[in-house]
Amino acid sequence: MHNVVEAAAARYARSGAFDAAETHPWSEAWDTADINLNDALASRLGVLRGRSKTLARNNEWARRYLWLSKSNVLGPVGIQLRMTLDKRNGDPNDRVNDLIEGGWRHFGRRGNCDLTGTLTWRQVEKLCLLCREREGEFLIRLVNGGPHGLLLHVLNPAVLDVNLRGEYQGRRIRMGIEIDDAGGPVAYWLLTVQPGEDLFSGVPAVGRRHVRVPAAEIIHGFDKEEPDQLRGYPALTVGAERLYLLKDFERSAAVASAHSAKRGGFFYTPTGEAPDGFADHLISAVLDQARAEGRELSVDELQALKDASSKFNTLVPGQFDTLPHGVQFQKFDSDYPNVNYNEYTKACVRGFSAGLGMSYATHGNDLEAVNYSSARVGIVDEREVYKFRQVELVEELHERVAAAWLSRAMLAYAPFRRLAYDRLEQYIDAMSWQPRRWVGIDPVKEAQANEINLRLRLTSRRRIIRERAEDPDEIEREIAEEQALYGDLDAENMPRPNDQADDEGEQDNDQSTSGRASRLHIAGA
């Protein structure tokens, strides 16, 4: 008995350690199974993708999320290559840097980088980003060929058969990926279908044909959330149920509001029979249509027509006709549009935005009650999310494609034959990527902050320029050209945001002198 009491006390102590581990009557539906993500994706990835694509094509909020992703992660010019190769004396190697950057731009032209000959590098970037958000992953096959020795084949992620499971030469195949003992990809088993064919036309998974492609020829990018995760899942599925229910609610509310704006009601008689003339009119119309189509109604169709002819309602924007003798009218009233669904809509969109790292003001396109401070907090936070996704895309896509491109282009692209192949790794290490950056929320204050940081030697001009997604070397060359044409700018008389005309009385001579001195100090720094 004593042991039983001790065991019960121990169980009670353990159960009180975590509230989330308790199963109360009100939390019985809370799933407690520790399901491996790969097992969940193997059975549900197709459903997730189907619903994600439906949202992307038909739901305004999902569509806006994808537009914001394209605009903020890539921007109008995409993620730019910046070469930072130095000479042996430490000076920038402008000749090699310009050569490689120019070669990358040539590779990115239509017909030079894509196997189909229809895409530019900018479009490849966009497709990979959209696939990553909408399908959960992107897939590129590296193919030898083209003026640079490399062509990219952007694949529909669905060709990587999620239903394929088995073994090959002692290695496991899971969701179409052949993996080694450590879980690393060895090969990808792709469905042998052509673009535009129906992948799921009824052919069972065991009967489909596959082609085995070594992992070295595949770039497979997705957001990896668990150590052994093999496939990605769509970002749009987080909060997708909210959007589906919201769309259904808004459609129903819109229809109800339209109906309530009309005069609705029902005709009925004391005996329950159809009003005189109504049934005859309905039956005649259906019979005439059937004759015009050259067919006769079946027994079931005639019975359905008879049943339908005894039920009538009307919904018109004007007045009703004069009722036949013995027919009465029952009015129908709706609560719409008096029912306010703005708060419900806002709650659904806010929850969906939170799951994607977006501020509601931006994603919800709702600036009605937003002030400067709250907008700044939300925008700064979501921009950090965009920066994180930019880094992930660079690591998954740009760095891998650029390394494969340069190793082949040094052998196939004529202008690169001047480069030393034994320095390939140095060239690759000198590659940096400049993603899109944003205009400041308050440009004047940010310019003043940059000025102070420069004076305190907390930053550099080059760093500030790169934060604006511009090329410091290009700006330096343009300034030199302008100086040669127009001469030096008069730094002392340059306008300053804090400078005011003397007649406004907002700034005394000492402050103006101090401002000019600080500008001269920075100009000479």
Side-chain angles (χ1 to χ4, degrees), residues 367-444:
L367 304 177
E368 181 179 359
V370 175
N371 56 39
Y372 173 80
S373 299
S374 61
R376 180 181 177 86
V377 171
I379 291 174
V380 169
D381 185 54
E382 75 179 26
R383 285 180 178 178
E384 293 302 315
V385 175
Y386 287 133
K387 290 179 183 179
F388 186 83
R389 289 163 59 193
Q390 287 171 341
V391 171
E392 287 188 324
L393 188 64
V394 165
E395 293 176 344
E396 294 172 355
L397 176 64
H398 294 73
E399 290 181 352
R400 296 185 63 183
V401 170
W405 159 76
L406 188 58
S407 63
R408 291 166 171 80
M410 290 181 68
L411 300 175
Y413 186 50
F416 280 8
R417 291 172 185 168
R418 292 174 288 173
L419 300 175
Y421 198 83
D422 59 351
R423 298 190 64 190
L424 173 63
E425 291 300 323
Q426 297 180 34
Y427 299 149
I428 294 175
D429 290 341
M431 289 180 171
S432 63
W433 299 93
Q434 180 58 62
R436 180 252 165 94
R437 287 297 179 261
W438 302 269
V439 177
I441 300 174
D442 191 335
V444 173

Side-chain angles (χ1 to χ4, degrees), residues 328-345:
Q328 298 184 33
F329 174 74
Q330 179 179 336
K331 186 180 179 181
F332 172 75
D333 291 320
S334 172
D335 292 333
Y336 286 89
N338 296 326
V339 175
N340 189 338
Y341 60 85
N342 290 338
E343 290 302 318
Y344 175 71
T345 300

Side-chain angles (χ1 to χ4, degrees), residues 231-265:
R231 303 289 297 267
Y233 63 92
L236 290 179
T237 58
V238 178
E241 188 177 19
R242 287 177 180 267
L243 292 193
Y244 171 76
L245 294 175
L246 174 60
K247 184 77 172 182
D248 184 63
F249 173 78
E250 288 181 328
R251 182 187 296 112
S252 301
V255 172
S257 297
H259 285 182
S260 66
K262 302 175 183 179
R263 307 184 70 177

